[in-house]
Amino acid sequence: MNQHQVSFWRGDVGRLGPVELVVPALEAVSVADRSSRKGAMVTGENIPVSAFTGLPYGGRPRLARGRLSVAGQDAAFSRKTLRTSRGGRALRIWAVGREYRYREEGNRRHHVLERPESRIVMARSSWTDPRSISGTAHGAVDSVDISLAVLFEGVYTRNLSLRGALISAPGRLMDRLGD
């Protein structure tokens, strides 16, 4: 039997109560895809379930060939891989009738999820193996915003910065050659 290390973070989000992030989340990946995909999933008492699956990297799903669902609905995302600025490389997300941007801010341990009405700044205690994940909400933040912000802390997003993209380029090239 193949053992997998499962990481999870659990905490309370004010009036919304408990929230949990699980990586890899086996529930998010079909049995047939478990050898080739990893998943991350957010659940909570008053937080909609969000899940992301993608090609694996270090036990986390990558953006490559990723699939996103938010509150039981398929969601879409895209990014411009040839841009050099963090803002230009930001992930654009369309979920539950909203458009978001998710980007690295400051360094690889800090990210921002934003839409016109809200902004959530997330921080990890460490890039590779964080003991804690925290966030600060600004504006009209709701449970969907929180679910997405927490979810992407479980996804390998290092290539949202130019330096991270250069570091991960050999792996992406190998993926394309394998197709």
Side-chain angles (χ1 to χ4, degrees), residues 6-10 20-24 130-131 133:
V6 175
S7 298
F8 66 91
W9 295 267
R10 189 176 291 144
E20 182 174 276
L21 169 62
V22 178
V23 181
R131 291 190 182 275
I133 296 171

Side-chain angles (χ1 to χ4, degrees), residues 73-93:
Q73 299 177 27
D74 288 340
F77 64 92
S78 71
R79 61 191 168 97
K80 304 222 185 244
T81 58
L82 299 177
R83 300 289 172 101
T84 56
S85 71
R86 285 191 175 128
R89 297 185 67 77
L91 193 63
R92 293 180 64 198
I93 303 165

Side-chain angles (χ1 to χ4, degrees), residues 11-50:
D12 282 314
V13 180
R15 60 180 165 59
L16 296 174
V19 63
E20 182 174 276
L21 169 62
V22 178
V23 181
L26 295 178
E27 302 88 353
V29 182
S30 71
V31 174
D33 290 339
R34 287 191 181 158
S35 64
S36 62
R37 298 181 71 81
K38 292 285 182 207
M41 186 163 63
V42 170
T43 60
E45 192 173 293
N46 295 302
I47 303 285
V49 174
S50 292

Side-chain angles (χ1 to χ4, degrees), residues 105 111-122 135-142 145-146:
E105 182 173 84
H111 297 90
V112 174
L113 176 78
E114 54 195 350
R115 62 183 172 94
E117 301 83 14
S118 70
R119 176 179 175 171
I120 301 176
V121 180
M122 298 295 293
T136 306
H138 306 275
V141 172
D142 65 16
D145 302 332
I146 291 168

Side-chain angles (χ1 to χ4, degrees), residues 45-76:
E45 192 173 293
N46 295 302
I47 303 285
V49 174
S50 292
F52 187 92
T53 65
L55 298 176
Y57 185 84
R60 290 191 279 171
R62 293 187 299 156
L63 296 172
R65 298 190 195 123
R67 293 184 205 129
L68 174 63
S69 71
V70 179
Q73 299 177 27
D74 288 340

